[in-house]
Amino acid sequence: MAPFNFTHSDASTFILTGIPGLEAAHIWISIPFFTFYIVSLLGNVTLLSVVGKEQTLQKPMYLLLCMLALTDIATPTFVVPKALGIFWFNLKGITVAGCLTQMFFLHTISVMHSSTLVTMAFDRYVAICNPLRYATILTNAQIAKLGLVGFIRAVLFILPLPLLLSQQTFCANRIIPHTQCEHIALEKMVCGDIRVNRIYGYVLMFVINGFDLTFIALSYGLIIRAVLRISSHKAHQKALNTCTAHICVMLTYYTPTFFSILTHYFGQGIAPYVHIILADLYLLIPPMLNPIIYGVKTKELRDKVVKYTCRSSADTKFTQSSAHTRDDISSGLQCPSGNCQIVREYVNQH
């Protein structure tokens, strides 16, 4: 059955084509998109719920995980609904303001995500290199302040991008061969001089990624130096195990990010749909994998998730069992002779 066509075009509208060259497979492509999104939401919402309910988990490390989970919920939420609208209902139209807004939030959340990874690297450094001062250096209030600083940094750095583009004149052909409004894709729609936009984009990329990766590398350099000074092999393993989950999360985030950037700038011979699929996957895969990685690697978190899952299952079974018991009593199967009406009234009230 042909998809509904609600596409319209005017001077204030862009057209997102989805994945050019794979239009016939849009329905099939939507299946992993939707699956990744649902798994991501379930995993990250579960993490937030468990940390929120469990007092023992409300400490800096797990508050940082909550910050990461919030960015992991927001990132695909700004992409997947629009992409599914394109795949399922051919809803390709998006206003210029809507496109710039989507671009702003996508890049802001990405920078915030990177800031959270930097803070987590600092958290691991303090936990391993200064364990006795950990509770005084990193308090919950301090983590909240670092999160606020990261958010302000992201907004201040990214806000000029849509502001600069909003001052430009876009070409008559307003077709964007993508599922989302990326900054690079929007730059290609500008008919005027975009040297300022391009230079700011390059500076932004090198400043943010350069600073964040340098700080992370410095933290892990100090961690490795501290670990090598420990004579016990068991202590080595224990110290490095505390960093394993963070390293895995960084690899799932930075590897596809840089691969997507490199293929965009240096992979001119690569088919356009490869660029688009890579750009989408780097927004979909990390949010799905992060709660799984931390759930597997962090025993305390894993135990609490199992605890609440089992408790929920037990509560459900108890409720069903209680309902059956009430039915049996009410029906007179366990009703003492001469007191059936009294028993029924008691059961109905309780």
Side-chain angles (χ1 to χ4, degrees):
M1 184 176 69
F4 295 105
N5 191 344
F6 296 108
T7 300
H8 65 279
S9 179
D10 57 49
S12 62
T13 303
F14 288 132
I15 304 298
L16 290 168
T17 62
I19 304 179
L22 297 178
E23 289 85 356
H26 273 179
I27 293 295
W28 296 106
I29 294 172
S30 70
I31 296 175
F33 267 64
F34 181 74
T35 303
F36 292 164
Y37 183 49
I38 294 300
V39 173
S40 172
L41 287 181
L42 288 176
N44 287 290
V45 169
T46 299
L47 191 152
L48 290 171
S49 299
V50 171
V51 174
K53 291 178 180 178
E54 189 63 43
Q55 291 289 333
T56 59
L57 296 182
Q58 293 177 11
K59 48 191 177 182
M61 176 183 174
Y62 295 103
L63 293 182
L64 286 170
L65 284 183
C66 289
M67 289 168 54
L68 192 68
L70 288 174
T71 62
D72 285 340
I73 290 173
T75 299
T77 299
F78 287 118
V79 175
V80 174
K82 180 60 182 176
L84 293 179
I86 296 170
F87 295 154
W88 291 345
F89 307 111
N90 209 31
L91 292 169
K92 298 181 178 181
I94 184 170
T95 63
V96 174
C99 204
L100 292 174
T101 300
Q102 185 192 48
M103 183 200 74
F104 168 74
F105 280 111
L106 278 177
H107 291 296
T108 298
I109 294 300
S110 179
V111 175
M112 183 64 191
H113 190 107
S114 185
S115 298
T116 304
L117 293 178
V118 171
T119 309
M120 293 173 82
F122 180 64
D123 171 80
R124 294 299 84 203
Y125 160 74
V126 176
I128 294 173
C129 299
N130 294 284
L132 298 179
R133 298 181 58 198
Y134 180 85
T136 56
I137 295 175
L138 283 177
T139 62
N140 289 352
Q142 195 68 26
I143 292 298
K145 291 177 183 178
L146 290 173
L148 180 61
V149 170
F151 176 73
I152 293 173
R153 183 188 80 144
V155 172
L156 292 180
F157 274 127
I158 299 300
L159 187 59
L161 290 178
L163 293 180
L164 287 171
L165 284 173
S166 66
Q167 304 302 314
Q168 298 287 348
T169 301
F170 294 100
C171 299
N173 182 11
R174 299 187 167 212
I175 298 176
I176 302 176
H178 214 302
T179 58
Q180 56 183 279
C181 294
E182 277 193 330
H183 179 249
I184 297 173
L186 282 175
E187 277 187 345
K188 294 179 179 179
M189 304 296 297
V190 176
C191 291
D193 187 1
I194 60 169
R195 280 178 297 180
V196 175
N197 303 65
R198 189 160 292 174
I199 291 172
Y200 184 76
Y202 288 142
V203 170
L204 197 61
M205 182 176 64
F206 284 110
V207 167
I208 292 177
N209 292 327
F211 172 81
D212 290 357
L213 289 175
T214 300
F215 194 92
I216 290 172
L218 178 63
S219 297
Y220 274 96
L222 295 173
I223 288 172
I224 293 172
R225 188 181 70 172
V227 170
L228 292 177
R229 291 178 176 176
I230 303 173
S231 57
S232 171
H233 177 73
K234 186 176 181 180
H236 279 185
Q237 187 176 10
K238 183 177 180 181
L240 292 176
N241 281 340
T242 63
C243 301
T244 304
H246 182 244
I247 292 172
C248 292
V249 167
M250 286 194 302
L251 289 175
T252 62
Y253 175 74
Y254 286 113
T255 301
T257 299
F258 280 104
F259 192 69
S260 177
I261 292 172
L262 290 175
T263 55
H264 183 87
Y265 284 107
F266 304 105
Q268 284 77 13
I270 300 176
Y273 63 81
V274 175
H275 295 284
I276 297 167
I277 291 175
L278 285 174
D280 287 332
L281 287 180
Y282 108 82
L283 295 175
L284 291 172
I285 299 297
M288 179 184 66
L289 293 181
N290 289 346
I292 298 174
I293 291 171
Y294 272 100
V296 171
K297 290 292 183 180
T298 310
K299 184 179 183 301
E300 187 178 10
L301 178 62
R302 182 175 67 249
D303 291 344
K304 297 304 180 183
V305 170
V306 172
K307 168 188 170 183
Y308 280 102
T309 302
C310 293
R311 177 185 294 178
S312 177
S313 176
D315 288 346
T316 301
K317 291 180 180 179
F318 178 78
T319 302
Q320 294 174 346
S321 176
S322 299
H324 292 316
T325 302
R326 287 196 299 268
D327 290 342
D328 290 343
I329 295 175
S330 183
S331 63
L333 295 178
Q334 301 176 25
C335 176
S337 59
N339 296 313
C340 288
Q341 184 61 33
I342 298 175
V343 172
R344 289 193 185 98
E345 291 177 358
Y346 177 83
V347 170
N348 290 333
Q349 291 174 1
H350 295 82

